[in-house]
Amino acid sequence: MSTNTTLPGDPPGGRRAAAVWGIGVAVYFVAVIFRTSLGVAGLDAAARFHVNASALSTFSILQLLVYAGMQIPVGLLVDRLGTKRVLSIGAVLFTAGQLGFAFSPSYGTALASRALLGCGDAMTFISVLRLGSRWFPARRGPLVAQLAGLVGMAGNLVSTLVLARLLHGVGWTPAFAGSALAGAVVLVLVLLFLKDHPEGYAPEPLPHQGAAYVRRQIAASWREPGTRLGLWVHFTTQFPAMVFLLLWGMPFLVQDQGLSRATAGELLTLVVLSNMVIGLVYGQIVARHHAARLPLALGTVAATATLWAATLACPAAHAPMGLLVVLCVVLGACGPASMLGFDFARPANPPERQGTASGITNMGGFVASMTTLFAVGVLLDATGDDYTVAFSFVFVLQALGVSQILRLRGRAARRERERLVASRVETVHVPV
């Protein structure tokens, strides 16, 4: 199905749209740096706070629990308050969380700081998606979303390359406190320059209707098969790379595969670079061929499962470097594939529900990541650091997600065709 038509009332895009959207993406970029900073500091955190694998995983689990739990409330807030206010609140919270983590004297205060960071982080991505839909034509939606994800992965790259070096160069507190300055910078940019929408494209005001309004927004979004399909696509595709980058990739490569920290860091960087390249490719493909969404998502799941199985089943003490390289390249496709979930939810919901629908979709991958982070930590402690057993949990959630995708795909496709036909009929009958 082609998406080359411009819908009536579409915003024009252009340079000003790119500049305003760029400010929102800069906030997301910094949030991802803070979110993934623990991925390069996991071993240092374990030593600093004297914790085992299960307790270490609790840092990321709590952060993702807050993030996932905030998605629907944030979606409602974005629909209600607009992007600028929500992004401003998010920047304040994740900056405070990063500063708190820098100065935390104990495991408990560090946990509280990561929870605060997760709360602020939760407010960024949905806001950026909403900002893109308000400033760019609908046909640009898939590419704009993939570009946002690409910039987020650039933030991951910064934490992998820059923050890791700062951490081992200047120490824990200066590295994390210094990085928090980036949060203050983007907050100023949002307050001074960000606009929710172009002139003349303000959305219809939503009357405040309390809890009943909230329930209707959530229920209406959830009833759409496209929203649920988007959630399960996000659930199934995102978590293998998220778990690898956020916490367990470095310990797996160093402790189980016998690599140096420098080599392991290069492989983590490869995941990020692969994500950025594949994100551009997926965005271009889906912008031109909307029907490619599901094959790309399922193909990514199949490739990820195959490479993980080959790595974990390798009979040698350590997997060959070539296999680890291919695994990291394939893991790079997980982020772009997860973005396809929003391309199912977006056309299934009207503009006034976009934030809520995006929040529901975005919960998927983070719930799966949180579950896997916890399971891997528990299994490592229970098996004496047997990474083969621990990482096999990935296949359980992949099987669950694929079964739900296959169950919902037919209904979502029918509803999307019906909505497209109805919009064409309305367009034909618009008086000139």
Side-chain angles (χ1 to χ4, degrees), residues 42-43 77 85 92-93 96 103 118 259 285 340 343 380 397 405:
L43 297 176
L77 281 175
R85 292 180 183 175
V92 169
L93 292 177
F103 294 101
L259 302 178
I285 291 174
L340 300 173
D343 292 322
L380 285 174
L397 293 193
I405 291 171

Side-chain angles (χ1 to χ4, degrees), residues 197-283:
H197 49 76
E199 295 293 332
Y201 290 87
E204 290 292 327
L206 294 173
H208 180 66
Q209 297 174 358
Y213 161 76
V214 170
R215 288 195 297 268
R216 282 197 297 272
Q217 283 285 92
I218 296 172
S221 296
W222 184 255
R223 278 196 298 269
E224 291 293 342
T227 304
R228 283 175 281 144
L229 179 59
L231 179 146
W232 284 108
V233 167
H234 200 270
F235 177 100
T236 314
T237 53
Q238 188 202 46
F239 79 94
M242 177 69 73
V243 168
F244 196 77
L245 290 170
L246 199 59
L247 184 60
W248 291 122
M250 181 70 77
F252 168 72
L253 294 171
V254 173
Q255 295 176 349
D256 189 65
Q257 296 300 310
L259 302 178
S260 67
R261 280 196 178 207
T263 303
E266 290 171 357
L267 287 175
L268 293 178
T269 303
L270 179 61
V271 177
V272 177
L273 292 175
S274 172
N275 182 298
M276 296 171 73
V277 172
I278 294 173
L280 286 175
V281 174
Y282 278 18

Side-chain angles (χ1 to χ4, degrees), residues 334-395:
C334 292
S338 72
M339 299 298 298
L340 300 173
F342 299 101
D343 292 322
F344 290 102
R346 187 185 302 110
N349 291 273
E352 63 271 16
R353 286 207 311 264
Q354 288 295 314
T356 306
S358 295
I360 293 172
T361 300
N362 208 30
M363 284 181 63
F366 289 94
V367 169
S369 298
M370 178 179 60
T371 304
T372 307
L373 283 166
F374 175 74
V376 169
V378 169
L379 289 171
L380 285 174
D381 285 339
T383 60
D385 291 339
D386 188 331
Y387 280 88
T388 299
V389 174
F391 273 115
S392 294
F393 187 79
V394 167
F395 306 126

Side-chain angles (χ1 to χ4, degrees), residues 27-28 30-32 34-35 63 66-67 70-71 74 85-98 112-127:
V27 180
Y28 177 55
V30 173
V32 173
F34 293 178
R35 178 201 305 169
Q63 183 179 333
V66 172
Y67 187 105
M70 286 289 293
Q71 289 310 292
V74 168
R85 292 180 183 175
V86 177
L87 275 180
S88 300
I89 296 169
V92 169
L93 292 177
F94 67 60
T95 302
Q98 188 78 338
S113 297
R114 295 307 285 188
L116 187 62
L117 193 158
C119 187
D121 182 17
M123 298 184 174
T124 59
F125 188 65
I126 293 175
S127 298

